[in-house]
Amino acid sequence: MLTHCGQAPRFEWKLLSDEFAPSWKASSIPEEGKVLIHDGEITLQPGQPMTGARFDAWKSSKLPLTRYAIEYEAMRVAGNDFFGTVTFPVNDSHVSLVVGGWGGTLVGISSIDEMDASENTTRGNAYFENNRWHKVRIEVRDDELRAWINDKLFVNTSTKGHKLGLRTGDIEKCAPFGFASYATQSRIRGVLIRRL
């Protein structure tokens, strides 16, 4: 099937490829650490307390708002709090998947019905070994959110009839799509967006 301009529609985007590298920016969080993007990898240096990297070209690149998957790998190099936490669009809202928050183990979606990941039904716990790559996959469907870490399902929740949004504060600077770490050094690689 061809689009009106004669080009085949795109079904996946590698967001750390050379094509998209200029669209990544530091999130301008007060007292954030350095954000380094090199050889297809993002490094977030520790901030006081948070550091973020934001991808500004989601809309202009015509990336989807629903029926899509996010895949990436994240590593906590140093520290003991969240790392590789991703903020992403869900239709006309945004949420974050927290990876290793609240002292290092909490997983969940912030926010649902104005409750963050530590309060709502997506709350889970996992042990994240430092200096090891952890594989993350998120599926954004019309009325559902699902998320796996290291192939284990952690989030499987309906979004129908629920209010989605970001936790108030610095994480909002990572929208429409971006990564954040909290008082940690983290690395992110292999960021892939794929239509479902």
Side-chain angles (χ1 to χ4, degrees), residues 34 43 68 77 82 96 117 120 139 159 177 189:
K34 288 185 179 180
T43 299
Y68 72 95
V77 178
F82 73 69
S96 300
N120 66 50
E139 292 184 358
T159 57
F177 183 86
R189 69 183 184 185

Side-chain angles (χ1 to χ4, degrees), residues 55-69:
F55 181 75
D56 281 336
W58 192 278
K59 186 174 181 180
S60 63
S61 300
K62 299 182 179 178
L63 273 74
L65 300 177
T66 190
R67 298 183 190 173
Y68 72 95

Side-chain angles (χ1 to χ4, degrees), residues 38-137:
H38 183 67
D39 286 344
E41 188 175 300
I42 301 170
T43 299
L44 303 177
Q45 299 284 4
Q48 299 296 326
M50 200 161 85
T51 301
R54 182 180 67 242
F55 181 75
D56 281 336
W58 192 278
K59 186 174 181 180
S60 63
S61 300
K62 299 182 179 178
L63 273 74
L65 300 177
T66 190
R67 298 183 190 173
Y68 72 95
I70 303 165
E71 297 177 7
Y72 65 96
E73 291 182 297
M75 174 191 292
R76 184 170 55 205
V77 178
N80 62 358
D81 216 294
F82 73 69
F83 67 102
T85 286
V86 63
T87 294
F88 55 95
V90 181
N91 292 311
D92 58 354
S93 301
H94 297 85
V95 297
S96 300
L97 174 68
V98 177
V99 180
W102 281 264
T105 62
L106 187 130
V107 175
I109 297 292
S110 283
S111 295
I112 300 176
D113 297 328
E114 300 183 350
M115 293 184 288
D116 66 31
S118 66
E119 302 168 320
N120 66 50
T121 59
T122 66
R123 178 183 177 135
N125 287 281
Y127 172 71
F128 296 101
E129 182 181 349
N130 284 7
N131 294 301
R132 176 192 162 192
W133 288 108
H134 300 278
K135 183 170 63 173
V136 180
R137 177 180 170 86

